[in-house]
Amino acid sequence: MNPSEKLAPGAPPPADFVPLIVPEIRGNEWQYVKECLDTNWVSSVGAYVERFESMAAERAGTRFAVATVNGTSALHTALLLAGVERDDEVLVSTLTFIAPANAIRYAGAWPVFIDAEPRYWQIDPAAVVDFLERGCRWDGKELRNRTTGRRVKAIMPVHILGHPVDMYPIVEAAEKYSLFVIEDATEGLGARYRGKGLGSFGHAGCFSFNGNKIITTGGGGMLVTNDPEWAARARYLTTQAKDDPIEYIHGAVGYNYRLTNIAAAMGCAQMEQLEAFVQAKRQIAKRYRESLASVPGLRFPEEAQWAFSTYWMYTVLIDQEEAGFDSRALLRELGACKIQCRPLWQPIHRSPAHDPFGSPACPKADALHSQALSLPCSVGLSSADQDRVIEAVTHFASKQNMPVKAR
Ligand SMILES: Cc1ncc(COP(=O)(O)O)c(C=O)c1O
């Protein structure tokens, strides 16, 4: 068995491995968490929750933030705030982790999968507009999918890999058809679109502090919004919709989605280091790009002129014809060298868990999926480990490209 196949997701890999992406804990985490333990403020209220929320709102450039137990629950809550109901439809990126599509199903609605654009690999705004204009009809008060007849209620663009989506055309199209926009910015903390933090362009934005994210609370999430009613409703729904805390009267079916003070304490300490983490990620990206530039068939992630990317998950494309090998061959080779890599997610329109009925075709996401490979890119990746990755890729590529006789 290839050594990398033994690694359990989320578990720290053995010391001789170069891990794909692991947390960096080197600030005030111990001190803040200890303070929670020492004072007994360990549960779902506390000063750290409030502080973490204000730090997140400030970062996103929104008026409000509500901490949640993870990013998926923030997405689910945002859909409820938008009034997404059973049998509604929500447009969502197909080339992303499965959580946003799952959140749409939790609300009883159906995802409509939208293709990626080939340059920055994000949801294609032109495909969004095309679907709204040609794939839907306006029945006088609502927009309906021509194929399914269902009401289209919202758009959920997902900023993947630390690079922003081109938001303006999406926001403009949403305004035209009175749709809500919920940004899945779970991979986008620290990135900017046209100079502004992600999460502030839609009606709500959602972040994740899962273990592989740029900052982590072990597990955690955040919903940001500028709307005071949405913020209040989010707080209500995520705390079991409690109307009377003495008599325990509940006005709706709520959820236990709140983040603990312990997790928020860690979040505050991590947030204090965000700028340094972003710089570290950008430095790793620069180093890979420069050192691997001469490998034939390798394509590097681009940063749009309107974007500031964190390069959260450093991902390259491999053009098999030019390189002489494909992304999965490189994955196996690096795994054998104890270097942990990962392909991108199966595009969700292909997932057995979801039904693509009523979605437009997504050929570009399929192509990106077959070519992509994410390389180790932890904030704390040492320069020796970067060298190890660079040498392994270069060595493998040079073997594949040698004339057959010389092998
Ligand atoms: C694009 C995307 N959306 C949603 C999530 C869900 O976040 P969480 O794992 O915190 O629920 C993640 C990451 O895990 C993600 O990468």
Side-chain angles (χ1 to χ4, degrees), residues 272-322:
E272 288 167 356
Q273 303 165 82
L274 179 60
E275 278 321 313
F277 287 6
V278 171
Q279 284 320 312
K281 291 268 189 192
R282 287 180 64 87
Q283 194 53 42
I284 292 166
K286 184 166 179 282
R287 178 100 194 280
Y288 277 145
R289 193 170 53 238
E290 287 171 2
S291 309
L292 295 171
S294 58
V295 175
L298 228 57
R299 251 188 71 202
F300 303 97
E302 284 186 59
E303 188 177 43
Q305 48 81 3
W306 38 259
F308 177 82
S309 175
T310 62
Y311 297 95
W312 162 68
M313 179 72 89
Y314 194 80
T315 304
V316 294
L317 299 185
I318 293 136
D319 177 337
Q320 186 177 358
E321 257 179 46
E322 212 188 311

Side-chain angles (χ1 to χ4, degrees), residues 181-233:
V181 176
I182 295 157
E183 285 173 73
D184 181 337
T186 47
E187 301 181 3
L189 184 70
R192 293 196 288 270
Y193 175 65
R194 299 188 187 278
K196 264 184 78 186
L198 305 185
S200 62
F201 295 92
H203 297 84
C206 301
F207 293 96
S208 164
F209 310 111
N210 177 32
N212 68 3
K213 297 298 181 283
I214 196 159
I215 68 163
T216 185
T217 55
M222 192 74 70
L223 184 152
V224 297
T225 181
N226 280 315
D227 186 323
E229 280 173 26
W230 276 41
R233 183 83 184 157

Side-chain angles (χ1 to χ4, degrees), residues 69-73 75 96-100 158-160 184 186-187 207-210 212-213 219-221 312 345:
V69 72
N70 53 42
T72 310
S73 58
L75 291 167
T96 178
F97 182 56
I98 201 163
V158 186
H159 306 278
I160 60 164
D184 181 337
T186 47
E187 301 181 3
F207 293 96
S208 164
F209 310 111
N210 177 32
N212 68 3
K213 297 298 181 283
W312 162 68
W345 328 267

